[in-house]
Amino acid sequence: MNKIKLFLLVFCLISIIGCATGQLAWTPQQREAITTRIYNHGYDKVFDALLNRLKSKGMPVLSADKQNGIIATDYVSAGGVVWGTGKQKLNINITKLNDFQTKVALYIHVEGYSDTLGMAMTDDLIDEKHYEELFKKIDEELQ
């Protein structure tokens, strides 16, 4: 019986370390490359496209401050997050680089309950595929 408990404990620790290592191993440059894009469009067009995309996809926008370049959404369900149930929200920073270029930085925050670990978890998500999917949707909106 003790061997089983020890095995489960070691397995859980390896799982946690494996997940955390993927996120903690990113250098600041890698993190920025994953979470930001520069668009060859004016600031107003990009800001409006972001708002339109969020609203059309049912993301509840808590605040949209065009002057300061900040959009924040409320939490939405993200079933399956961290091996259980969860929710996520999105914060977006929009920066005018010049009249024809705009920088967009996305930050995904997740909260959930891990069925495997039996505990609540919270984290800023650094998963390249989620960011790629979001940027692809922004690209579509800007077409």
Side-chain angles (χ1 to χ4, degrees), residues 38-54 66-67 69 71 92 94-104 137-143:
I38 295 176
Y39 290 97
N40 293 318
H41 296 285
Y43 178 85
D44 289 334
K45 182 174 182 174
V46 173
F47 192 95
D48 294 341
L50 287 164
L51 272 181
N52 289 337
R53 189 55 152 188
L54 291 170
K66 195 169 193 175
Q67 183 176 354
I71 299 174
I92 307 171
I94 306 103
T95 306
K96 178 180 179 175
L97 299 178
N98 58 49
D99 288 343
F100 306 104
Q101 287 189 317
T102 304
K103 180 179 176 181
V104 174
K137 291 175 184 175
I138 295 168
D139 293 340
E140 291 170 3
E141 191 69 32
L142 287 166
Q143 297 297 328

Side-chain angles (χ1 to χ4, degrees), residues 9-81:
L9 176 64
V10 170
F11 177 77
C12 287
L13 288 174
I14 290 171
S15 296
I16 292 169
I17 291 168
C19 292
T21 302
Q23 294 184 28
L24 296 176
W26 298 114
T27 66
Q29 294 83 7
Q30 289 171 317
R31 183 179 296 258
E32 183 172 353
I34 292 168
T35 62
T36 63
R37 293 291 182 277
I38 295 176
Y39 290 97
N40 293 318
H41 296 285
Y43 178 85
D44 289 334
K45 182 174 182 174
V46 173
F47 192 95
D48 294 341
L50 287 164
L51 272 181
N52 289 337
R53 189 55 152 188
L54 291 170
K55 290 177 182 177
S56 72
K57 294 300 177 186
M59 291 288 291
V61 176
L62 287 178
S63 64
D65 183 345
K66 195 169 193 175
Q67 183 176 354
N68 292 310
I70 300 169
I71 299 174
T73 71
D74 199 358
Y75 284 101
V76 294
S77 175
V81 172

Side-chain angles (χ1 to χ4, degrees), residues 112-129:
Y113 184 83
S114 170
D115 292 335
T116 304
L117 299 176
M119 61 187 279
M121 300 182 76
T122 182
D123 199 1
D124 291 323
L125 184 65
I126 298 296
D127 182 344
E128 196 166 357
K129 87 173 178 185

